[in-house]
Amino acid sequence: MDNVRILKGYSKTERKELEDAKYNGFNNAIYLINGIADDDDDCTSLTEKYINGSPDEDNQLARDIADYYDGKAKFADQKYYVKLPKLGFPYLVQDVDGMELVRYLRSGYKEEFTEQEIKDIDPRYMAFAVPVEAEK
């Protein structure tokens, strides 16, 4: 599905709760939304997001959950730095001409890669993949 919206503004814990809820117990979005609103202790981080939000944020949370369940929204793929610790130039980056190793991460270069992008370059680089924190 090409028109999938990327969900933003979720902590790692909230993301995990939503992913786990869809695949481990909450059979549909309405059931999950009701559980969050009723504070049933199954999704405490999502419940806190709901409790601490404004009505507009609560409505967005409900839309996000419904769209996630329907396959119309997803979380962005985890990004990684490729850090090669034994080399003098430890970070793998990509510019328009291809791959390059640099000592420091630089702006203007692609420095964050998805797992599939790393595997497409060379699967052995996955051993050096360091997750990029979602919240910078």
Side-chain angles (χ1 to χ4, degrees):
M1 196 180 295
D2 292 333
N3 243 355
V4 177
R5 182 169 61 89
I6 301 297
L7 298 176
K8 297 178 181 176
Y10 286 83
S11 69
K12 286 182 183 182
T13 305
E14 293 163 350
R15 175 181 175 160
K16 182 166 177 20
E17 282 183 0
L18 182 51
E19 290 169 341
D20 288 350
K22 181 175 180 182
Y23 299 108
N24 299 317
F26 288 95
N27 298 330
N28 62 58
I30 295 300
Y31 185 52
L32 176 58
I33 293 167
N34 283 334
I36 291 169
D38 291 341
D39 192 13
D40 64 6
D41 291 332
D42 284 327
C43 296
T44 54
S45 292
L46 289 171
T47 298
E48 286 203 21
K49 186 177 188 75
Y50 168 74
I51 290 170
N52 293 326
S54 68
D56 288 340
E57 290 170 340
D58 295 344
N59 289 335
Q60 185 61 53
L61 176 62
R63 277 191 291 278
D64 288 350
I65 292 170
D67 285 352
Y68 182 74
Y69 268 76
D70 288 342
K72 296 177 184 174
K74 68 176 189 170
F75 291 104
D77 292 334
Q78 174 67 54
K79 298 279 188 165
Y80 300 90
Y81 296 122
V82 177
K83 187 174 182 182
L84 305 170
K86 298 286 182 185
L87 298 177
F89 303 100
Y91 287 99
L92 181 71
V93 297
Q94 184 176 35
D95 65 7
V96 293
D97 296 324
M99 305 312 292
E100 183 180 336
L101 292 173
V102 297
R103 184 177 301 276
Y104 302 104
L105 297 174
R106 298 189 259 177
S107 62
Y109 286 78
K110 180 176 181 172
E111 58 194 34
E112 299 174 3
F113 302 92
T114 65
E115 181 176 340
Q116 189 57 52
E117 289 171 332
I118 295 169
K119 288 178 179 178
D120 288 347
I121 296 164
D122 188 329
R124 296 174 292 180
Y125 281 144
M126 280 307 299
F128 304 102
V130 179
V132 174
E133 292 300 320
E135 316 296 331
K136 279 193 172 183

